[in-house]
Amino acid sequence: MSIIKAPRGTRDIWGEEIYLWHKLEEVVRLLASSFQYQEIRTPIFESTELFARGVGEATDIVQKEMYTFPDKGGRSLTLRPEGTAPVMRAYLEHGLNITNPRVKWFYMGPMFRYERPQAGRMRQFHQFGFEAIGYSQPACDAEIILIAWLVSKKLGLENLSLEINSLGCNQCREEYIKVLQDFLGKEGKNLCANCRTRAEKNPLRVLDCKEETCQEVFRSSAFPVVQDFLCGECERHQETLEEILRELDIPFSLNPYLVRGLDYYTRTAFEVKTGELGAQDAIAGGGRYDNLSSALGGPPVPGVGFAAGMERIILLMSKKYEPSSLAEQPLFYLAPLDIPGEGALLQLASSLGERAIPFYLEFADKGIKYHLRKAQKMGVGTVIMAGGEEGEKGEFIWKDMSSGEQRSMSKEELLARLGEERRSAEDS
Ligand SMILES: [Zn+2]
Ligand SMILES: [Zn+2]
């Protein structure tokens, strides 16, 4: 019988890599707590309709990439491909639009998309995101951008840049889409096959296309730029945001092709990028989604947020950090010399555990040579042995790994000593 492997497009996160994840999660939580965004944990699966309505029927996500399945009751369920629609679903379901219309939330967890797996793109991947719902002010767009910016900065990522665009509102966007559709219709023969279909169903998506032929079409001087179609209010929104960003010293550039893949975005769209790996990589992307609530059958509720792919950030972090340097090293290695020694060291482990002092416990089926070699490999400063003659006297052996010195001590002396070691480890 062959062994069973993790499904294609999924992977175990383990070994030293986990320390990078802990570090990233810690930075996200620290900023969330600083800006007082509360964590929300929505279900891993939702009704399929939520994403059909909230992400958009014409998007690649809904058309090709969702893990959709009937449950035993015949309901169509989908593993969440993104976090914003579930968050808005929760907001409406709990009646917050009536009881507490302004909320600031963050989430973190696995998402699922059926895509061709490749480096940095998994079928189960992870995102964190921040969402401010009930806020229509451009200053709130700026707060969201600032958080995305600070996460990247606190992780030590360099060469950061910000690209922004405005997609307009229901009024001005309709006009733009009409003109864009006309233009794309005329250019049809120069577009790739994908874009010819998209141009009819979801013309904004065309701007995402990386095909050289399509890029050339976008560069033509006749290409209609969304900025030229903004209504007065959308223009003011954009100007205010730009002003705040300048005051915050966040350098940005306008990218008229930045539209995001999802249908519910309005006005601000943005991406934070880093030049860390040579080419500019997007770390986080988001924007305003004033149409999402209505798309889900709710009343009009403004909102703005961003999501960031954690795998991509982990890859960037792995070039900067030595993962083991982020790990908590055990202070003590507990080496039993015989079976009674195991019992004595487990009692000691109980005291260490209660004080949350990190230690590593081995067992007596291994000899002293094994223990010392392993302790050295782990970089542990002190080995505590129990058993043998000292064990019969109720004593332990304390061995300092750097000097090689060792001496026996009573349990009371040992516990007093542990406290000191802990304090000096904390001070250093
Ligand atoms: Zn407008
Ligand atoms: Zn194309």
Side-chain angles (χ1 to χ4, degrees), residues 93-215:
E93 181 170 343
H94 302 301
L96 292 170
N97 52 308
I98 297 155
T99 56
N100 180 26
R102 293 180 166 201
V103 301
K104 293 181 177 182
W105 277 337
F106 86 98
Y107 62 83
M108 184 151 53
M111 307 287 161
F112 306 85
R113 287 184 202 174
Y114 194 84
E115 291 186 278
R116 186 193 307 235
Q118 45 181 275
R121 188 188 288 172
M122 303 296 291
R123 289 179 173 171
Q124 173 174 325
F125 59 100
H126 298 76
Q127 286 187 338
F128 66 86
F130 284 71
E131 315 281 3
I133 304 180
Y135 296 88
S136 57
Q137 304 78 354
C140 194
D141 303 21
E143 181 184 29
I144 283 289
I145 290 173
L146 177 61
I147 293 172
W149 189 261
L150 286 179
V151 170
S152 316
K153 250 176 96 172
K154 279 193 91 69
L155 290 169
L157 302 180
E158 283 161 46
N159 298 322
L160 295 175
S161 62
L162 169 69
E163 290 183 1
I164 59 172
N165 191 22
S166 174
L167 305 179
C169 62
N170 286 345
Q171 284 76 43
C172 52
R173 175 194 175 114
E174 205 174 309
E175 172 67 11
Y176 174 63
I177 289 176
K178 228 184 286 160
V179 173
L180 179 64
Q181 216 153 18
D182 268 2
F183 174 83
L184 294 173
K186 276 184 229 139
E187 291 287 334
K189 56 183 188 312
N190 299 322
L191 295 172
C192 72
N194 254 339
C195 285
R196 277 200 294 272
T197 332
R198 282 185 195 146
E200 280 164 35
K201 286 197 228 159
N202 191 3
L204 281 180
R205 277 301 316 275
V206 171
L207 306 191
D208 274 344
C209 187
K210 301 281 175 281
E211 294 281 337
E212 187 46 42
T213 51
C214 297
Q215 288 283 327

Side-chain angles (χ1 to χ4, degrees), residues 46 57 74 85 91 150 163-164 202 204 220 225-227 231 235 239 249 256 264 267 297-298 307 374 395 399:
E46 297 267 3
E57 290 278 10
Y91 176 90
L150 286 179
E163 290 183 1
I164 59 172
N202 191 3
L204 281 180
S220 109
V225 175
V226 61
Q227 240 82 27
C231 66
E235 215 167 48
E239 280 166 9
D249 259 332
Y264 48 66
R267 292 193 175 159
K374 183 161 176 177
E395 290 186 336
K399 184 177 177 73

Side-chain angles (χ1 to χ4, degrees), residues 190-426:
N190 299 322
L191 295 172
C192 72
N194 254 339
C195 285
R196 277 200 294 272
T197 332
R198 282 185 195 146
E200 280 164 35
K201 286 197 228 159
N202 191 3
L204 281 180
R205 277 301 316 275
V206 171
L207 306 191
D208 274 344
C209 187
K210 301 281 175 281
E211 294 281 337
E212 187 46 42
T213 51
C214 297
Q215 288 283 327
E216 217 164 292
V217 172
F218 306 157
R219 285 195 292 263
S220 109
S221 59
F223 185 86
V225 175
V226 61
Q227 240 82 27
D228 296 338
F229 292 81
L230 297 183
C231 66
E233 259 185 76
C234 285
E235 215 167 48
R236 268 194 300 284
H237 188 97
Q238 177 78 1
E239 280 166 9
T240 311
L241 171 63
E242 290 179 16
E243 228 172 86
I244 299 172
L245 291 175
R246 276 189 284 268
E247 281 162 11
L248 286 170
D249 259 332
I250 299 180
F252 63 89
S253 57
L254 281 177
N255 176 357
Y257 306 106
L258 178 64
V259 292
R260 320 279 310 143
L262 311 179
D263 271 359
Y264 48 66
Y265 283 98
T266 51
R267 292 193 175 159
T268 310
F270 73 91
E271 272 182 2
V272 175
K273 295 183 168 181
T274 173
E276 200 70 51
L277 293 179
Q280 288 285 309
D281 269 306
I283 307 169
R288 180 158 280 289
Y289 45 82
D290 295 350
N291 285 339
L292 178 58
S293 172
S294 320
L296 298 181
V301 174
V304 58
F306 77 88
M310 297 174 79
E311 272 77 3
R312 174 83 59 92
I313 298 177
I314 293 294
L315 189 69
L316 293 165
M317 288 172 70
S318 69
K319 317 271 177 204
K320 291 197 88 73
Y321 295 92
E322 185 53 58
S324 57
S325 72
L326 302 171
E328 181 163 37
Q329 294 293 332
L331 290 178
F332 304 105
Y333 181 105
L334 311 188
L337 303 175
D338 51 25
I339 303 289
E342 285 178 345
L345 286 177
L346 271 162
Q347 279 184 43
L348 180 63
S350 169
S351 308
L352 290 169
E354 264 180 56
R355 298 168 200 206
I357 297 174
F359 63 90
Y360 191 86
L361 173 66
E362 257 298 350
F363 298 95
D365 60 328
K366 295 289 186 188
I368 183 76
K369 265 194 185 151
Y370 174 93
H371 291 310
L372 293 180
R373 221 180 307 127
K374 183 161 176 177
Q376 193 166 35
K377 220 172 138 190
M378 293 172 80
V380 182
T382 307
V383 174
I384 299 170
M385 293 174 264
E389 278 174 35
E390 272 85 0
E392 281 166 30
K393 289 184 275 176
E395 290 186 336
F396 294 83
I397 304 164
W398 176 285
K399 184 177 177 73
D400 184 315
M401 290 297 281
S402 52
S403 66
E405 233 174 276
Q406 70 177 56
R407 63 185 196 86
S408 41
M409 46 177 89
S410 67
K411 190 173 181 192
E412 291 66 37
E413 196 185 342
L414 183 65
L415 286 175
R417 187 77 185 266
L418 294 177
E420 283 165 33
E421 293 281 318
R422 177 62 168 173
R423 271 191 293 281
S424 72
E426 276 168 357

